[in-house]
Amino acid sequence: MKKPLLQVALDSADMATALQHASCIAEHVDVIEAGTVLAFAQGMEAVRELRKRYPAHRLVCDMKLLDAGEMLATGAMSAGADWITVGAAAHIETVSAAHQVATQMGGEVQIELFGHWTLADAKLWKEHGISQVIYHRSRDAKAAGVCWGQADLTRMKDLSDLGLSVSVTGGIVPEDIHLFREIDVQAFIAGRALTGSNGVQIAESFHQEINRYWQG
Amino acid sequence: MKKPLLQVALDSADMATALQHASCIAEHVDVIEAGTVLAFAQGMEAVRELRKRYPAHRLVCDMKLLDAGEMLATGAMSAGADWITVGAAAHIETVSAAHQVATQMGGEVQIELFGHWTLADAKLWKEHGISQVIYHRSRDAKAAGVCWGQADLTRMKDLSDLGLSVSVTGGIVPEDIHLFREIDVQAFIAGRALTGSNGVQIAESFHQEINRYWQG
């Protein structure tokens, strides 16, 4: 299995703070994400700024879009995103429209797995060209004490087995990485762990753990 | 049943276009919505601009948020929104967090009904203080020819019967209004029908139809 990437999610509402966080951590991550909070607060200017400053990084625009797939995907891809996120609850026509725009512009759609999604949905996404999903423990659920469990890992394995790469997020820390060693992980996505004061040290710990469990 | 409101959804990516559309239609609608396309393109500046220009209108920020309920709700409410939208697929903790922020700031959350939601979900939202949902025919589904049907109306009636007001959207035209006469409709939401060149005329037709089927 390919080695998972490390992704930082920038979720400040304030542009200066987001850019300052990015400047501290960029060379320690593979992927930079304009988080939903930043994208809504600042609009696509946030994506343009990040693309300008980080021309070589993979750039994600975390819209979690649910409708108007063509328009929203066009906005994000034109601003410089490589990957854009679509909510699992979106109608398949929305997924498909976003996917077409993204791939025509050299990028990809990632499906954000919120709500009541099924493996039948996942197969449908795959049939429509999707190759990536993002498995969450929501920020609010984590804050309320909801943990990673065997049910999560089983579902992730099922998605891997369907041929979908799974990015993992939701308060992830280096000590969690080993849990996912059987999964085809696209990226581990962390926000506050990487944008805090010891973000670089934590990024190094993430890389150590990734290197321990994945080769290549 | 209370009389449904008429709501315009502004979904231009460009601010000047959105404001120009608003200026033509504002006095013919009850509610102005910063659509998801506008909100992502321009950020919360779009909401601030609309609030400044239309201090008396009900203002919606159509985020369809799925996570970070507190942060995103705070951003939108602080920018001047009255109502903010939360995706049905969001974890209940997210719904609850957004609802708490919205109501503390004098507003409300509306649940956007995308994906596999159930009446059990709806009851849970109601228990957490939610009083409004938005029933969709997605833009992409409509473009692919998916129509309003009896199944939609039955589901909307079930939601009404639970005590939830239902806003209706998805390429709605005045000729559709009669279909919803048994539903507790909060608002009919239209985008391109109201921002096009004969938007005022169409708004008047909407009001005529609303007055025909609802009193009060």
Side-chain angles (χ1 to χ4, degrees), chain A:
Chain A
M1 287 191 290
K2 65 184 186 296
K3 194 184 291 188
L5 303 171
L6 184 61
Q7 175 172 331
V8 62
L10 301 172
D11 263 313
S12 301
D14 172 62
M15 184 84 93
T17 306
L19 293 177
Q20 196 259 325
H21 286 156
S23 69
C24 293
I25 201 67
E27 63 187 80
H28 302 276
V29 298
D30 308 294
V31 187
I32 298 174
E33 172 196 322
T36 318
V37 171
L38 177 62
F40 265 128
Q42 300 296 332
M44 291 299 97
E45 188 59 22
V47 178
R48 283 189 287 270
E49 275 294 318
L50 288 168
R51 173 47 77 214
K52 194 165 65 182
R53 287 158 191 259
Y54 303 104
H57 277 75
R58 202 73 57 89
L59 188 54
V60 179
C61 181
D62 189 18
M63 302 181 128
K64 300 182 178 67
L65 74 89
L66 288 172
D67 197 3
E70 182 180 351
M71 290 177 77
L72 286 170
T74 299
M77 297 302 293
S78 302
D82 294 297
W83 297 343
I84 54 175
T85 61
V86 175
H91 195 283
I92 193 62
E93 296 289 342
T94 296
V95 174
S96 185
H99 170 72
Q100 286 185 49
V101 167
T103 49
Q104 277 163 13
M105 298 178 77
E108 288 185 51
V109 156
Q110 302 174 294
I111 302 289
E112 290 265 14
L113 298 172
F114 281 102
H116 305 304
W117 58 273
T118 65
L119 285 180
D121 293 324
K123 286 175 188 156
L124 195 59
W125 301 325
K126 190 104 180 35
E127 283 164 23
H128 281 74
I130 301 301
S131 62
Q132 297 202 47
V133 296
I134 303 174
Y135 197 97
H136 278 261
R137 183 175 52 176
S138 92
R139 178 193 290 250
D140 301 297
K142 176 176 189 292
V146 174
C147 301
W148 296 108
Q150 189 53 51
D152 296 301
L153 296 167
T154 301
R155 293 196 93 185
M156 284 188 229
K157 189 75 172 63
D158 289 341
L159 292 161
S160 275
D161 292 345
L162 274 182
L164 294 163
S165 285
V166 183
S167 286
V168 186
T169 188
I172 284 276
V173 291
E175 294 71 30
D176 289 335
I177 297 305
H178 72 98
L179 294 170
F180 310 102
R181 63 192 180 278
E182 302 292 315
I183 315 294
D184 176 15
V185 176
Q186 177 74 17
F188 290 106
I189 309 171
R192 288 159 290 180
L194 293 175
T195 57
S197 53
N198 56 344
V200 173
Q201 188 183 330
I202 289 175
E204 284 168 3
S205 300
F206 269 121
H207 285 299
Q208 268 175 25
E209 292 298 295
I210 290 168
N211 288 329
R212 180 181 299 182
Y213 294 104
W214 286 268
Q215 310 305 321

